[in-house]
Amino acid sequence: MRQTKATYIIFIICVFMGSVFAQAQSDKQKQLEARRLQLKKEMEQLNSLLFANKKKEKNVITLVEDLNYKVSVRKNLIKVTNDQANLLTRDINNNQKQISDLRDQLKELKEQYAAMIVKSYKNKSQLSRVMFLMSSTNFKQAYKRLQYIKQYSDYQKQQGEEIKAKTAKLQKLNTELLKQKEDKQKLVEENRIAKRELEAELKEHEVLMASIRSNMTKYNAQLKQKQKESDRIDKEIDRLIKEAIAASNKKAGKSKNSSAFALTPEAKALAATFEANKGKLPWPVVRGIVKMRFGKQPSAIDKTVTVNSKGVRIATEKGAKVRAVFDGEVSQIIAIPNANPVIIVRHGNYMTVYRNLSKIYVNKGDKVTAKQDLGEVFTNNSTGETLLYFRVYKDAKLENPAHWINKL
């Protein structure tokens, strides 16, 4: 009896663990599918925003940067698709094992059921049942025999229902198995195409890099010039932010040397709300991809050179509107000689910076709301590129925009 009970408990534990494992597999599959679709969407946007207009003459450096980004997305997509196919393989193997086990169980159940039917047929006459009851030595024995007949009949029905349930489960598993095999085949084919495209992109990248290596002095000079221009704009932005901090402290009667804003109760409340929405803020453009992320990273041209990005560079579509990521006040509109305009929006002691604009829709001092259009992103007519440079500051300190913007 104890052994039977122990066996039953072990069976229940195995069923429970199997259920938990199956659910974990299902959840993982959903996560991978969501990530795969996200990467496919990113690839579509990338092709649309960076590679659609082939008539435009991009310089080699820009082409290498774009190809680097495309290759990295393609590699991620291949990896995720491969992981998904491998997980499906495990699911298929698991289902095949379940199908095999169910078939064995069904065979045994049907044999037992057939034996019961034969036995019932042999003893089916009402007379034999009556004689079985009447031959009892006392009432108690007769009652027990009656209960036995009822239990036997119920057990027959139960066996029949179990056969029906297991047959239905077997059919469902067979259907799932066919679907899983189809899904896996689609993923394998998708990866085969993606790998061919990756090979072509890597060859194109190598050709471009060969042309750069043959004249590295020229391209290094171009990079230095671009960095010099960027540094000039950065210094002006930093200067104006420090001036705004000093002005807020002077107005509050505090030291002008403070590196933090002196906040009014209203500004404190706005900053607190901004902080509460960390990671949930909308993108500064409706449609775009991040070409360069925040922080130190190797140069696309020379891996020994480190680039320190103070914000993110977002490629978007021609005519794209730039929008405020949160409620605030237009602190500055910067017109820098030989550069495109910059808008700074203040949110308490936080600042968001929108650089490389062609049109401005707001004025200094204007109150703005989240997703309100501030202007239009500049499009380089010779290359066809539309790039927004976006930053987040807390007082005078730079923040990683990816920590603030939803799914950046």
Side-chain angles (χ1 to χ4, degrees), residues 92-106:
I92 287 167
N93 291 339
N94 185 50
N95 269 0
Q96 284 176 330
K97 186 178 183 307
Q98 283 192 64
I99 287 168
S100 179
D101 290 345
L102 269 175
R103 281 178 179 155
D104 291 342
Q105 290 170 28
L106 262 176

Side-chain angles (χ1 to χ4, degrees), residues 107-117 152 155 159:
K107 184 182 177 184
E108 188 178 343
L109 276 171
K110 285 177 179 178
E111 286 173 355
Q112 290 175 2
Y113 190 71
M116 278 194 296
I117 294 299
Y152 191 76
Y155 182 67
Q159 288 287 87

Side-chain angles (χ1 to χ4, degrees), residues 314-332:
I314 300 172
T316 185
E317 55 200 339
K318 187 175 182 179
K321 306 290 190 298
V322 62
R323 57 188 191 171
V325 297
F326 199 72
D327 300 349
E329 180 183 321
V330 178
S331 174
Q332 293 285 346

